[in-house]
Amino acid sequence: MSAPPVARGAAIARLLARWTELAIHAAPLVVLLALAAATAAALYAAGHLGIDTNTVDMLSPELPWRVESERHKRAFPHYADNIVVVIEGATPDLAAEAQGRLGNALAAEPGLFEDVHLTGGGPFFERNALLYVDSAELEDLAEGLEGAAPWLGALERDPSLGRFLTVLDSLLADDLGSAPLLGAVGMAFDGSMVDRVQPLPWRDLMSGGSSQRDERRRYIEILPRLDFEQLLPGEPAIARIHALSDSLSLLASEGVSVRLTGFVPMSDEELRSSVGGLKTATLLALLMVGLILYAALRSGRLIAAALLTLLVGLLLTAGFAALAVGSLNLISMAFAVLYIGLGIDYAIHYSLRYRELRTRGAENREALKGSAADVGTSLLLSAFTTAVCFYAFVPTDFEGVSELGLIGGTGMLISFATTVTLLPALLSLLPFRPKTDEPPLIGGVVPDWLGGWVSEHRRGVLVAASLVGIVSLILLPRASFDLDPLSLRDPEGESTATFRDLLADSTAAPLTISLLAKDREETAELSRRLEALDGVDAAIWIQDLVPEAQQEKMALIQRIGRVVGPAPAESEPAAESAAPAESSGIEATLQEVELFRERVRALELAGDDLELARFAVFQIRSWQRWTQTLPDQRRERAVQRVEESLFGGLERSLRALRGSLHASPFNEDSLPADVVRRWVAPDGSYRVEVISSESLGDQAAQRAFVEEVRTVAPRATGEPVINVSAGVAVVSAFRQALVTAAVATFIILLVSLRSFSDAARVLLPLLLAAAMTGASTVLFGPDFNYANVIALPLLLGVCVDNGIHMVHRMRASRMSRGDILRSSTARAVLFASLTTIFSFGNLAFSRHPGTASMGRLLTIGMLCVLACTLVLAPALASTRRSPARATSD
C-alpha cells in the first residue's frame, strides 16, 4: 500500500496554507491588484484581440497543400478574399443587362472595390456572344427569326398591348405553334396584380428553344477593399452592393435577383453568427453558473466571491490570449465559454470545502487555510494535468486547437492562481457566516442509495463498464469528421444559401480544382491528361476561351443579320410609330383584352395547349375583375406592368442581338487584358481549372475527385483539395494530441500519486468517457467537425480533474466507496460538472450549426464524464470500510 498523500503532499499543503495566510493578511491589496490587472487585461484584449473566420487558417501554413494554395493566391489574387455577385434574371438578356448596369456602378467606386470583373460580360463578350453559341443553336435561332420576322417587326414598331394581342390572335388562328405563349401571357397578367414584372422570354421565342437556368445566371467577381478596423471587414462593400442593387431596381419585382457569396460575405456572415451566438452563450453560461452555484453553495457571499474570482480569471485569460495569439479563430474564440465551464470548478471545490469547515465550527481564517491545505493539492494537480491536456495540442498542425490549447492550458493555471489567492482574500473580507443550527451541506444531492449500490454491485459495475467500453471501441472507427466548412455555417445566411444553391445546380460548378503550369506546352498537356479522367468534365485553360468553328458561325451570324436588320429608328428616322394603346383610352385597351379572352376561349385546343389556354383565360379574367375596382391611374399602371412584362424584354433582346452581329473572328491575343490576367500570371505561369463530372455535394465525391486529379497533378489546389486535406490534417492532429495528452497525464499522475493503481483509477474513467463520447457521435451524431472538436480537450480536462479529486479525497480520508459519494467532494464534482453541462448545453440551441454541434457533443460528453466519475471511479476504489466505521469527512 502506498504512503498516505498527507505525508507526501504535506509540504505542498503547508505552502498553500501559508500562501492563503498571506492573501488573507493583505486581502484589500490583493483584491485591488486583481481588479486592476483584470481591467488592464480587458482593455488590452478589446484593442488587440481580433477574429479570423477562415477555417483554412486554423491549419499550419507549412503544410504542403497550404503552401501550394498560397502560391496560387499570389499568382491569381482575384480568387482570394473576393465577393461573388450572383445575378439571376427571368431571361438571359435581363440577367446580362443587370450584370452590366451593376458592374458599371461598382466600377465607378474604386474606393470600395479594387477590381470588378463581369464574368462572361463586358463589351468584348457582348460583341462576340454569338460566336460562343453552338452552331446548331445558331441555326435554330436563324430559322426562328426568319419565321418570326413578319410579326416581330410589327411588334417592334408598335410595342403596345393591343398590338401584341392582335399578333398573338393571328398566330393562334393560323396554328403556328404559339399556344405556349399563352402561359407567358397569363403570367404577365398575374404579375401585374402584385406590381411584378414577368418578362416574356423573347430569345427563346425567337429560337424556338428554352433557356436553361445557367443561361439566366450571370456573375460579377469583386475584390473589395476590406476595412480591418471593423469587426466585419467586408461589411461596407457588401452594404454598398446591396444599396446599388436596390437603387438600380434590380429587384425580384422586376424579374431580377441579386445575391452575394464568396469568401468575404461568407466570412463576415460566419463571424456575425458565431460572435452573436457566443456572446449569448457566454451570458447564459454566467447565468447558469450563478444558478448552479446557488444550488451548490446556498450563500450569497460565497456565490459573489466565486463569480468575481471567475470573472477576474476570465479577463486575465482574455488578455493573455490577445498577447499570445493576437487573433482568435472559430475554435479558440470559444475559450470564454470553455473557461467559464472549467474555471468555476476550482472555486466550487474550494468554496464547498470552506463552507463545510465553517459549518463544523472552524474559525474563518482557519477554514480558509484548511481548505487550501485540504483541496489545494488536488486543485494544483488538476490544474497542472488539465493544462497538460490542453498543451498537448500546441505542437500539432491544427493551429485552431493549438491556439485553444495554449489559451485553455494557461487559463486553467490562471484559474488555480485566482482560486487560491483572490477567493480567500474575498472570503476574508466577506466571510461566510453559518447559522448555528445549520447541518453540514454534504448529502442530499448524490442519492444515499447510490453509494451503497456501487459498493454492493462493484463487480457488476466493472463488468458493465467493460462491456460499454468494448462496444464503444467497436463503434469508434466508424466515427467520421465532417470536412465541409458549409456544415458550420448558418444555412439561412445569404452567402451560404447561395453557395448551396449553386452547388446543387450541376451546371454552376462552384467547387473546382485549380493548378498551375509553367508554360503553354505543359498547360495543354495537363489539360489533355485531366480531361481523359473519368471524374473530370472539363479542364479549362485560356485557350478554351477562344470559340471553335468561328468561320462557320460567322455565316450564320450574317444570315441572322439579314433577318433582323437595323433598329427601326436607324432605318426610318422620319417614320412615326403607331400610337400606343393608351392614346385611344384605357377603356379601349381593356375592351381589346376582353375580346382576346373570348377568342382564346373559342380556340379548339387539346392537351397541354388547352391547359395553357385555360390558365391564360383564368388569369386575364382575374385581372379584369381586379382592374374594375381600381381608379384610372391605377388601371393605367396595371396595363403598363403587363406591357413591361410582354415588351420589356423585346427591345432588350433585339438590342443585344444586334450588338452581337458585329462579331468578328479572334484568337487568344484578342482577349481582354483583365480576362487574360485571370488565366496567365505575370511570371508566365498558366492556370488550369478542373471541373468535376459529378456533383461535389458530399464528402465522398469530393475525396474521389481530389484523389483522381492528384494522380495527374499532385500539386493541385482549390476548395475540394483544401477540404479533403484539412480533414486529414485535423484527424491526424487529434490522434497525435490525444495520445500525447493521455500518456503525459498518466505519467504525471503516476509521479504525483506514486501509485500505479491510483493513476489508473483516474485515467480509466477518462478513457471510458472519451470512448463513450466518440461512440455517441456514431449513434446519435453530430459528426466531429472544426467547431465541436474542442469537446475532446475539454472533456479530458474535466474528467482528469474529477478523478483526481475523487482519488485524493478517498486516499486522504481513507473513505469507502459508499462514503465518497456522500462527501463534499462528490457534491463538488456533481455541481462542477453541472456548471459545465449547462454552460455548454445552451449552445445546442444556437442557429449556428457549428456552435450547436459543439453544444450537443459537450452535453453528451459531460454526461458520460459524470457517470464515469460517480459510478466507475468509486467502483475502482480498493479501500473498503464498513458504514459503522465510516465518517463523513
Side-chain angles (χ1 to χ4, degrees):
M1 182 179 293
S2 60
V6 174
R8 294 197 303 266
I12 296 177
R14 287 195 300 270
L15 180 62
L16 290 171
R18 177 59 180 161
W19 179 259
T20 300
E21 188 173 13
L22 292 175
I24 296 171
H25 181 73
L29 180 61
V30 169
V31 173
L32 287 176
L33 289 176
L35 294 177
T39 302
L43 293 174
Y44 183 80
H48 296 82
L49 192 60
I51 298 177
D52 181 3
T53 61
N54 188 357
T55 54
V56 176
D57 288 341
M58 292 192 294
L59 293 152
S60 171
E62 298 179 2
L63 291 168
W65 58 270
R66 281 215 64 191
V67 172
E68 186 62 26
S69 176
E70 291 303 315
R71 186 171 79 96
H72 192 280
K73 287 181 180 179
R74 289 192 298 271
F76 298 99
H78 312 83
Y79 300 100
D81 297 339
N82 66 349
I83 298 175
V84 178
V85 182
V86 182
I87 302 171
E88 292 198 55
T91 66
D93 294 322
L94 188 58
E97 181 184 65
Q99 180 197 42
R101 292 172 62 202
L102 181 57
N104 290 335
L106 295 171
E109 300 195 23
L112 276 176
F113 309 107
E114 180 180 348
D115 182 75
V116 178
H117 176 69
L118 310 185
T119 307
F124 176 84
F125 289 104
E126 290 173 3
R127 184 176 64 252
N128 295 290
L130 292 180
L131 289 176
Y132 287 93
V133 178
D134 185 73
S135 296
E137 293 181 18
L138 270 182
E139 181 76 34
D140 292 339
L141 178 59
E143 292 179 358
L145 285 170
E146 288 169 347
W151 55 266
L152 193 60
L155 288 178
E156 187 176 18
R157 288 188 296 272
D158 180 13
S160 65
L161 181 55
R163 171 65 70 179
F164 178 84
L165 296 177
T166 300
V167 170
L168 182 54
D169 185 40
S170 175
L171 293 174
L172 291 170
D174 293 339
D175 192 23
L176 296 180
S178 300
L181 266 174
L182 290 171
V185 172
M187 293 298 296
F189 281 95
D190 179 59
S192 171
M193 291 188 284
V194 291
D195 200 29
R196 184 186 184 98
V197 174
Q198 298 284 356
L200 207 63
W202 285 101
R203 180 67 68 92
D204 295 349
L205 297 174
M206 294 175 190
S207 64
S210 178
S211 58
Q212 301 301 311
R213 188 179 181 185
D214 65 308
E215 297 177 271
R216 301 191 298 273
R217 186 189 292 126
R218 289 297 185 100
Y219 305 93
I220 302 177
E221 299 173 34
I222 302 170
L223 273 184
R225 298 189 187 276
L226 302 177
D227 183 2
F228 291 101
E229 296 297 320
Q230 298 193 25
L231 176 64
L232 304 174
E235 188 171 32
I238 292 171
R240 187 55 182 159
I241 295 172
H242 285 304
L244 287 174
S245 299
D246 292 341
S247 67
L248 294 172
S249 296
L250 303 182
L251 309 170
S253 60
E254 304 299 325
V256 179
S257 73
V258 176
R259 297 180 294 168
L260 306 185
T261 188
F263 178 81
V264 171
M266 294 181 85
S267 295
D268 278 18
E269 207 170 78
E270 176 82 359
L271 184 56
R272 185 184 292 106
S273 60
S274 298
V275 171
L278 286 173
K279 283 181 178 178
T280 303
T282 301
L283 294 175
L284 288 175
L286 287 171
L287 175 62
M288 296 305 298
V289 164
L291 293 175
I292 294 172
L293 284 176
Y294 174 76
L297 303 177
R298 307 287 177 84
S299 166
R301 294 188 177 189
L302 289 177
I303 293 171
L307 286 178
L308 184 57
T309 302
L310 176 69
L311 184 60
V312 168
L314 176 61
L315 294 177
L316 291 175
T317 304
F320 170 79
L323 184 66
V325 302
S327 63
L328 303 175
N329 54 60
L330 291 175
I331 292 179
S332 59
M333 67 191 297
F335 85 91
V337 181
L338 181 151
Y339 182 90
I340 292 171
L342 274 181
I344 195 62
D345 294 359
Y346 299 92
I348 288 176
H349 280 278
Y350 187 99
S351 298
L352 276 174
R353 185 59 171 162
Y354 163 73
R355 189 188 196 287
E356 182 179 348
L357 293 175
R358 287 285 285 151
T359 303
R360 291 182 173 182
E363 294 295 328
N364 192 61
R365 179 181 292 268
E366 294 305 315
L368 291 171
K369 292 170 58 180
S371 299
D374 289 346
V375 302
T377 302
S378 60
L379 289 179
L380 176 61
L381 181 57
S382 296
F384 187 61
T385 53
T386 305
V388 168
C389 287
F390 280 109
Y391 288 149
F393 289 85
V394 174
T396 67
D397 291 329
F398 192 9
E399 293 188 354
V401 174
S402 174
E403 292 177 3
L404 179 67
L406 179 61
I407 298 170
T410 306
M412 294 304 97
L413 299 179
I414 291 173
S415 182
F416 170 78
T418 56
T419 299
V420 298
T421 306
L422 177 60
L423 185 58
L426 289 170
L427 293 176
S428 70
L429 297 176
L430 295 171
F432 166 69
R433 303 185 188 280
K435 298 177 182 179
T436 55
D437 58 345
E438 183 174 13
L441 189 59
I442 300 174
V445 176
V446 179
D448 290 339
W449 59 264
L450 182 60
W453 185 88
V454 170
S455 297
E456 294 174 7
H457 300 85
R458 176 175 181 268
R459 188 182 301 275
V461 169
L462 296 177
V463 170
S466 300
L467 292 176
V468 171
I470 292 171
V471 172
S472 298
L473 290 175
I474 293 173
L475 291 174
L476 271 180
R478 295 170 56 188
S480 60
F481 185 89
D482 186 354
L483 55 83
D484 187 0
L486 288 180
S487 300
L488 306 183
R489 297 190 168 103
D490 182 2
E492 297 180 4
E494 178 191 31
S495 63
T496 302
T498 301
F499 191 87
R500 287 189 181 278
D501 189 25
L502 296 177
L503 192 60
D505 185 350
S506 60
T507 62
L511 288 178
T512 60
I513 290 179
S514 294
L515 53 99
L516 302 182
K518 62 183 179 181
D519 52 37
R520 288 184 61 87
E521 291 72 20
E522 183 182 31
T523 306
E525 175 62 17
L526 275 174
S527 177
R528 183 190 63 78
R529 292 174 60 195
L530 287 166
E531 288 190 338
L533 299 175
D534 293 336
V536 173
D537 181 60
I540 302 172
W541 61 299
I542 191 170
Q543 182 60 43
D544 293 315
L545 300 185
V546 180
E548 299 177 348
Q550 294 189 47
Q551 292 300 333
E552 176 186 346
K553 293 176 182 177
M554 283 302 303
L556 291 169
I557 292 172
Q558 292 169 6
R559 177 181 166 187
I560 292 171
R562 288 192 294 270
V563 176
V564 175
E570 296 174 295
S571 61
E572 305 173 40
E576 294 185 2
S577 61
E582 288 84 290
S583 65
S584 58
I586 189 68
E587 295 298 335
T589 301
L590 296 176
Q591 185 177 3
E592 290 177 358
V593 172
E594 172 62 20
L595 291 173
F596 176 75
R597 184 176 68 87
E598 292 298 331
R599 287 194 292 269
V600 171
R601 291 181 61 186
L603 290 174
E604 295 183 0
L605 301 173
D608 293 340
D609 291 348
L610 177 60
E611 292 301 318
L612 290 171
R614 287 175 175 173
F615 171 75
V617 169
F618 174 79
Q619 295 296 348
I620 292 172
R621 183 55 181 155
S622 299
W623 182 83
Q624 288 175 311
R625 290 173 177 169
W626 175 68
T627 56
Q628 288 173 0
T629 65
L630 301 177
D632 289 345
Q633 187 175 3
R634 292 281 306 279
R635 282 201 285 180
E636 290 179 6
R637 171 67 174 172
V639 172
Q640 180 185 3
R641 293 304 263 177
V642 173
E643 291 185 340
E644 287 176 1
S645 294
L646 297 177
F647 298 109
L650 177 60
E651 180 186 358
R652 188 182 302 113
S653 295
L654 290 175
R655 183 172 62 248
L657 188 58
R658 289 189 174 104
S660 62
L661 295 176
H662 300 293
S664 59
F666 64 91
N667 55 28
E668 187 179 319
D669 295 334
S670 303
L671 291 170
D674 67 319
V675 174
V676 174
R677 180 63 186 88
R678 281 164 169 75
W679 295 94
V680 183
D683 63 359
S685 59
Y686 285 71
R687 185 174 74 91
V688 180
E689 186 171 11
V690 189
I691 301 174
S692 173
S693 58
E694 304 290 338
S695 172
L696 299 182
D698 63 83
Q699 300 178 41
Q702 287 191 41
R703 188 177 295 109
F705 180 47
V706 170
E707 290 174 355
E708 188 174 22
V709 169
R710 277 178 165 172
T711 60
V712 174
R715 299 178 65 183
T717 186
E719 195 162 349
V721 174
I722 291 172
N723 290 344
V724 172
S725 302
V728 172
V730 169
V731 172
S732 174
F734 264 90
R735 285 174 178 166
Q736 170 191 334
L738 288 173
V739 171
T740 302
V743 172
T745 298
F746 185 72
I747 293 174
I748 293 170
L749 291 173
L750 197 61
V751 172
S752 60
L753 298 176
R754 300 182 186 179
S755 166
F756 182 89
S757 60
D758 283 347
R761 290 190 188 101
V762 175
L763 196 62
L764 286 176
L766 182 155
L767 295 177
L768 179 60
M772 291 169 63
T773 303
S776 73
T777 65
V778 179
L779 297 175
F780 314 111
D783 291 339
F784 288 110
N785 56 51
Y786 294 104
N788 65 25
V789 287
I790 71 165
L792 298 178
L794 175 60
L795 296 175
L796 277 175
V798 174
C799 204
V800 167
D801 288 358
N802 289 351
I804 288 172
H805 289 303
M806 296 289 282
V807 169
H808 179 81
R809 187 64 184 269
M810 283 189 289
R811 293 178 62 182
S813 303
R814 309 301 297 165
M815 284 187 166
S816 70
R817 288 186 287 272
D819 290 336
I820 187 63
L821 293 179
R822 301 186 183 96
S823 69
S824 62
T825 298
R827 182 183 181 89
V829 165
L830 175 63
F831 280 107
S833 299
L834 288 178
T835 58
T836 306
I837 291 172
F838 285 103
S839 295
F840 284 90
N842 64 79
L843 294 176
F845 302 99
S846 172
R847 285 182 55 192
H848 186 265
T851 304
S853 71
M854 183 195 311
R856 289 195 298 271
L857 188 59
L858 282 168
T859 301
I860 294 173
M862 280 306 305
L863 291 174
C864 296
V865 166
L866 191 58
C868 291
T869 301
L870 296 181
V871 179
L872 179 60
L876 290 170
S878 60
T879 304
R880 180 189 294 271
R881 287 168 38 187
S882 65
R885 297 175 58 193
T887 60
S888 291
D889 189 16

